């Protein structure tokens, strides 16, 4: 019984160790618009998942490089990839990157 209680408490604590926020973005020319979410974890890593108005799905992974800035890489279902950077206040922020040969900007948060 004691083991089950400890496992339950640890599970509850670990669930509180992430933050998921809405994300919106678009290619620089406005031809593709994206919506989705980003989740940051207590270990200063995170994931981002987006879907475009054209049906492209984008996944990315990122890490914080200091208390306010992070960087990562996008991978799209249509084969595009590219790096991105962002600045965060904790609950909101913005970023810029590339999807293939197009610049991409995004915002996240409440």
């Amino acid at each position: 019984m004691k083991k089950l209680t400890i496992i339950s408490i640890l599970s509850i604590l670990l669930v509180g160790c992430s933050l998921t926020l809405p994300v919106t973005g678009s290619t620089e020319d406005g031809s593709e618009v994206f919506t989705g979410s980003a989740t940051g974890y207590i270990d200063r890593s995170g994931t981002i998942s987006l879907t475009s108005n054209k049906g492209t799905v984008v996944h990315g992974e990122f890490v914080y490089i200091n208390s306010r800035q992070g960087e990562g890489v996008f991978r799209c279902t249509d084969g595009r990839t590219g790096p991105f950077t962002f600045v965060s206040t904790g609950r909101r922020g913005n970023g810029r990157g590339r999807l293939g040969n197009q610049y991409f900007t995004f915002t996240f948060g409440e």
Side-chain angles (χ1 to χ4, degrees):
M1 182 69 172
K2 186 175 182 179
K3 219 180 226 185
L4 182 58
T5 302
I6 291 171
I7 290 171
S8 295
I9 290 171
L10 287 175
S11 296
I12 291 169
L13 290 174
L14 289 176
V15 170
C17 295
S18 67
L19 175 64
T20 299
L21 297 170
V23 179
T24 59
S26 67
T27 54
E28 189 172 51
D29 66 2
S31 64
E32 201 165 7
V33 177
F34 297 82
T35 59
S37 63
T39 301
Y41 301 99
I42 196 164
D43 68 356
R44 304 181 55 76
S45 70
T47 59
I48 185 169
S49 295
L50 303 167
T51 303
S52 82
N53 60 322
K54 295 183 177 183
T56 302
V57 177
V58 179
H59 293 288
E61 295 181 353
F62 62 85
V63 295
Y64 278 87
I65 56 175
N66 62 41
S67 64
R68 293 187 49 148
Q69 297 175 312
E71 58 187 27
V73 176
F74 290 125
R75 289 179 179 77
C76 305
T77 55
D78 63 7
R80 291 179 289 174
T81 64
F84 65 93
T85 60
F86 64 90
V87 177
S88 172
T89 64
R91 297 192 70 80
R92 65 180 53 159
N94 60 68
R96 180 177 173 93
R98 293 187 65 84
L99 294 176
N101 62 359
Q102 291 186 306
Y103 283 105
F104 175 78
T105 58
F106 61 95
T107 60
F108 58 90
E110 302 172 336

